[in-house]
Amino acid sequence: IGDRAAGAIKSGGTTRRAAKMVCLDVDHPDIEAFVNWKAEEEAKVAALIRAGYASDFNGDAYSTVSGQNSNNSVRVTQEFLEAVEANGDWHLTWRTDGRVSRSFKARDLWQQITSAAWRCADPGVQFDTTINEWHTCPASGRINASNPCSEYMFLDDTACNLASLNLLKFHDVDRGFDVESFRHACEVVITAQEIVVDYASYPTKAIEKNSHDFRPLGIGYANLGALLMARGMAYDSDSGRGYAAAITALMTGASYAQSARIAEQKNPFAGYAKNREPMLRVMRKHRDAVKRIDAAHVPLELLQAAKQTWDEVVTLGELHGFKNSQISVLAPTGTIAFMMDCDTTGVEPDIALVKYKKLVGGGMIKIVNQTVPVGLKRLGYEKDEIRAIVEFIDAHDTIEGAPFLKAEHLSVFDCAFKPAQGSRSIDYTGHLRMLSAAQPVISGAISKTINMPEDSTPEEIEQAYIEGWKLGLKAVAIYRDGCKRSQPLSTSKDDGSDRSDR
């Protein structure tokens, strides 16, 4: 019923489907049917496409199968994952009385989860134990699920307004990143978001009450991948991760500090008193994470600002509390990134230096990365060399083989997917390590796809999920290139219809 209802509701018009997250606990009696649901529907899509039905996501093949109106995630616990590693038993329990309904090896269920993800990219996993260890308001209830893109995780029946800053707007080719302007922008934006809480409308009375009582906010950013490229840093590098961690820490810290100043004038959020100690404990965990950022990879001014800001957060929080229970998330920024003229979305690298985007309702546009010349200039290339490299990219849809480009600089321009006429891409471990750099200094979670090449195996997806758990991430979603018969972004003009047998 929920799936059909979401299919009837459209986002921002008449053709774009609404977003919905469906989470199921790993010990639920229906977990196996849930895990395999969308993979089985994807097999039906393949059969329909082979029979001649349109492969477009809004076409006849996808519109006639179920499960296409949601992102599915399994809530896995520390106990379950330890049972997977030990090849131990796992028990499914009835929701009504807690009795065991079935028992089997945890590893058997785990392999079903990873096999289904290999086949259709669902389900993702949400690490329930980790999520609740970083919960600022556990005295008011546990965190059970997330929003559709998995970045907002908080109490049931709450809502969060989001705002994302374009990081490249704070960067100058000659002067670098403007730390003070970024800090001030965070303070201004988080104040505006706090004001919006009381003026917003909410779909139910329960959501309205809890949103007013806990006032969770979600400041974030877009264009991180482009910023790193502009600075001549590889996304999958210690310097790239350190730089990203410091910027994320400064954003969250500046915003929490501002929230504490507002609380000094307007009192803390209504649910703060009974959650004071666990919230301050989480603030200290964030501060400790900032101290672990490697100074060797971050400009001194940026790292000092992040550390100073988090000392301020703890001091002001102990004195005044906070106006907001949560302050930051890293959202996907898929649509707004286009409006902000960003090359990359959220915390993502670019999917490719040249990509082709399908438009809802038909048609396709070619999107070319605009940050490459800035990065080349940072790396010391001359104007004529930059022009020749950019012209090569436009002609060949890849930077590999471009004239004048030094081999040691190729990694700076690596992207999520291998280009149609190239061989390089960011390894899935690079995506995971970037998440692990940002996650400890984010209030909520991060909407981020772990992109994997088409020839990835189910065992590699299993390893990606396990590594995400051990790195302390709150959630992991993978996408194996070509696992869906239709995908909105690709590295060639091919519409993907030739994948119907895969």
Side-chain angles (χ1 to χ4, degrees):
I1 294 171
D3 183 55
R4 290 298 179 185
I9 299 168
K10 306 300 179 185
S11 291
T14 60
T15 55
R16 180 180 169 186
R17 300 184 185 204
K20 180 167 71 79
M21 174 63 77
V22 181
C23 295
L24 199 67
D25 293 338
V26 74
D27 64 347
H28 194 286
D30 291 335
I31 190 64
E32 290 180 288
F34 175 75
V35 163
N36 291 292
W37 173 28
K38 290 183 74 170
E40 292 169 356
E41 297 302 295
E42 192 69 26
K44 296 178 188 176
V45 168
L48 288 167
I49 293 172
R50 286 196 297 271
Y53 290 90
S55 63
D56 183 81
F57 192 67
N58 289 302
D60 291 337
Y62 275 104
S63 64
T64 52
V65 302
S66 67
Q68 305 308 306
N69 299 302
S70 66
N71 297 319
N72 291 357
S73 293
V74 178
R75 294 284 290 203
V76 297
T77 61
Q78 185 90 359
E79 181 185 12
F80 172 73
L81 291 165
E82 289 172 352
V84 169
E85 289 199 313
N87 197 26
D89 293 330
W90 186 246
H91 309 293
L92 307 183
T93 58
W94 295 112
R95 302 296 96 173
T96 49
D97 56 17
R99 289 185 300 111
V100 173
S101 68
R102 286 182 58 211
S103 298
F104 44 74
K105 290 295 183 183
R107 196 170 290 174
D108 293 342
L109 175 56
W110 185 239
Q111 288 173 346
Q112 288 186 60
I113 292 170
T114 55
S115 175
W118 180 86
R119 290 158 65 193
C120 73
D122 272 288
V125 291
Q126 296 187 356
F127 301 109
D128 184 86
T129 306
T130 304
I131 291 166
N132 281 285
E133 283 176 354
W134 288 84
H135 188 9
T136 55
C137 296
S140 300
R142 71 189 315 281
I143 298 175
N144 296 306
S146 74
N147 73 326
C149 296
S150 206
E151 77 271 14
Y152 175 60
M153 299 178 172
F154 196 51
L155 296 168
D156 292 349
D157 291 313
T158 57
C160 177
N161 64 75
L162 311 183
S164 297
L165 297 166
N166 182 350
L167 291 179
L168 209 52
K169 294 296 184 182
F170 299 92
H171 178 261
D172 182 86
V173 176
D174 299 314
R175 296 189 297 273
F177 193 77
D178 190 337
V179 172
E180 286 308 311
S181 291
F182 182 65
R183 189 208 310 254
H184 182 62
C186 292
E187 293 169 351
V188 171
V189 169
I190 210 68
T191 304
Q193 287 179 267
E194 158 56 25
I195 292 169
V196 166
V197 172
D198 288 325
Y199 286 91
S201 59
Y202 300 88
T204 69
K205 290 294 182 183
I207 294 175
E208 180 178 16
K209 183 179 187 309
N210 286 331
S211 297
H212 287 158
D213 287 350
F214 293 92
R215 314 181 78 81
L217 301 178
I219 195 171
Y221 55 66
N223 234 5
L224 174 69
L227 174 64
L228 296 179
M229 190 181 292
R231 291 190 58 81
M233 293 177 173
Y235 187 89
D236 185 10
S237 67
D238 290 337
S239 58
R241 287 184 284 272
Y243 199 82
I247 284 178
T248 311
L250 177 59
M251 177 187 72
T252 301
S255 301
Y256 261 132
Q258 183 71 354
S259 179
R261 295 185 198 102
I262 296 172
E264 180 183 7
Q265 301 296 321
K266 306 280 287 182
N267 297 319
F269 65 91
Y272 178 73
K274 67 178 181 178
N275 289 289
R276 181 181 187 276
E277 290 310 312
M279 184 160 186
L280 288 173
R281 177 184 65 82
V282 171
M283 295 303 105
R284 296 185 189 104
K285 281 166 66 84
H286 286 307
R287 182 177 63 177
D288 291 343
V290 178
K291 293 177 181 178
R292 293 193 294 269
I293 298 174
D294 191 343
H297 303 298
V298 184
L300 181 61
E301 181 190 12
L302 175 58
L303 187 56
Q304 283 183 333
K307 289 181 176 179
Q308 178 268 326
T309 297
W310 273 101
D311 287 338
E312 194 175 17
V313 168
V314 174
T315 300
L316 290 174
E318 290 173 342
L319 289 172
H320 311 299
F322 299 93
K323 191 64 179 173
N324 311 97
S325 57
Q326 285 198 359
I327 214 76
S328 61
V329 303
L330 290 180
T333 69
T335 301
I336 65 170
F338 281 104
M339 297 173 68
M340 293 193 292
D341 199 25
C342 296
D343 270 331
T344 63
T345 58
V347 74
E348 300 276 8
D350 204 349
I351 187 172
L353 296 182
V354 179
K355 54 263 182 202
Y356 297 87
K357 181 176 176 60
K358 289 184 179 180
L359 301 176
V360 174
M364 181 180 288
I365 57 172
K366 180 179 180 179
I367 304 169
V368 182
N369 185 295
Q370 300 299 306
T371 311
V372 172
V374 183
L376 290 169
K377 181 179 179 181
R378 171 82 180 191
L379 293 169
Y381 290 88
E382 300 296 332
K383 287 183 179 180
D384 290 345
E385 295 172 329
I386 294 172
R387 184 182 303 110
I389 294 170
V390 170
E391 287 175 354
F392 182 91
I393 294 171
D394 193 47
H396 297 88
D397 288 2
T398 181
I399 199 170
E400 296 176 52
F404 306 112
L405 186 68
K406 297 175 183 177
E408 62 265 29
H409 294 155
L410 271 170
S411 62
V412 173
F413 305 99
D414 282 346
C415 296
F417 284 172
K418 181 178 69 175
Q421 300 187 55
S423 61
R424 297 179 61 91
S425 64
I426 297 170
D427 189 75
Y428 77 90
T429 57
H431 295 279
L432 289 168
R433 287 194 291 262
M434 180 57 80
L435 282 174
S436 72
Q439 182 59 80
V441 285
I442 284 288
S443 293
I446 306 169
S447 179
K448 165 88 176 79
T449 303
I450 308 303
N451 297 106
M452 302 182 76
E454 188 172 358
D455 60 2
S456 299
T457 65
E459 290 74 25
E460 287 174 314
I461 290 173
E462 179 180 354
Q463 187 59 33
Y465 283 160
I466 289 291
E467 287 186 33
W469 165 50
K470 292 185 175 180
L471 286 169
L473 306 183
K474 292 183 178 180
V476 174
I478 66 94
Y479 185 81
R480 182 178 66 88
D481 190 20
C483 70
K484 302 285 288 184
R485 276 64 185 177
S486 175
Q487 58 189 43
L489 283 172
S490 63
T491 58
S492 72
K493 295 178 182 179
D494 173 28
D495 66 2
S497 58
D498 63 332
R499 292 187 168 113
S500 60
D501 292 320
R502 301 180 192 178

